[in-house]
Amino acid sequence: MTVKDKGNFKREIERLVNLGVLAKDSDSPWAAPSFCQPKKNKNEVRFLTDLRQLNKRLVRKPFPLPKISQILYEIDGMQWATALDLKMGYYAIKLDPQAQKLCTLITPWGKYKYLRLPIGLSGAPDIFQEKMSSLVDHIEYARVYLDGLLVLTNGSFDDHLSKLGKVLVLLSQAGLKCNADKCSFGAKEVEYLGYLLTRNGIRPVPAKIKSILALSPQRTYGKYGGY
């Protein structure tokens, strides 16, 4: 680990402590390795903990993730769309004291415990999807897949903003925030779960099929090299 990487690692730990995600620990017999991975924006890092040994001993409480094909099938036209990307969504879920003792990690600066649901825990997607489903499943114009939330309306733009406002209030009350730079608000078309949702239907995202479109047409050669 370079001096720069170590500095980024320490700053990220301090940030998570200040946010109430981590706290110092000296009692738990558990200690998972942790590290940081640079994001595309090299001024930011992703904090990761290797919880595989803990995961082997956990009993999951499965909760079904929605099928992407079903979500898309249920979309019956739209006039306006908002796609929200939740920021640090798992960290909105508090761990009880017993879970905190299990979700501990070791760093060059000592041991810490998670106070909030960590990424990498085998049951984390189940827990988070259950929370999000209970939050918005009763709203007919909202769809959610983990930290990706979609609001679709067929009325006026003002109607869309009004309904979006209700969803944002629910998120705020649940302690959830959005990555504003990864969201699309009140648009005629949005990217969601790898697809482009438009007023004229659903299409693949052009950037995701760019490499396929760039392929040269296949040529068939004869026995002696001719066509």
Side-chain angles (χ1 to χ4, degrees), residues 9 22 30 32 51 58 63-64 72 76 101 134-135 166 174 182 190:
F9 190 4
L22 295 178
W30 289 83
L51 295 168
L58 288 181
F63 187 86
L72 298 177
D76 184 21
K101 289 182 180 180
S134 66
L135 194 65
K166 294 177 182 177
K182 294 184 179 180
V190 296

Side-chain angles (χ1 to χ4, degrees), residues 130-168:
E130 184 176 14
K131 176 184 176 68
M132 293 306 302
S133 294
S134 66
L135 194 65
V136 304
D137 269 2
H138 65 287
I139 302 175
E140 61 180 11
Y141 49 83
R143 301 287 184 275
V144 65
Y145 186 93
L146 292 176
D147 57 1
L149 201 150
L150 185 67
V151 178
L152 298 175
T153 62
N154 282 309
S156 66
F157 186 66
D158 287 342
D159 173 67
H160 182 78
L161 293 182
S162 175
K163 290 176 176 175
L164 173 60
K166 294 177 182 177
V167 172
L168 292 175

Side-chain angles (χ1 to χ4, degrees), residues 172-186:
S172 178
Q173 290 173 344
L176 293 160
K177 298 180 180 180
C178 297
N179 285 308
D181 57 342
K182 294 184 179 180
C183 296
S184 298
F185 296 95

Side-chain angles (χ1 to χ4, degrees), residues 78 189-198 201-206:
M78 68 167 205
E189 59 181 41
V190 296
E191 288 187 27
Y192 188 68
L193 300 178
Y195 291 87
L196 187 65
L197 312 185
T198 77
I202 301 170
R203 304 199 307 266
V205 176

Side-chain angles (χ1 to χ4, degrees), residues 17-18 35 42-43 45 57 67 72 77 84 90 103 106-107 113 130 146-147 152:
V17 169
N18 291 333
F35 56 96
K42 295 189 177 180
N43 292 323
V45 293
R57 295 161 174 81
K67 292 184 178 179
L72 298 177
L84 302 174
Y90 286 15
C103 297
I106 193 162
T107 76
K113 61 183 177 183
E130 184 176 14
L146 292 176
D147 57 1
L152 298 175

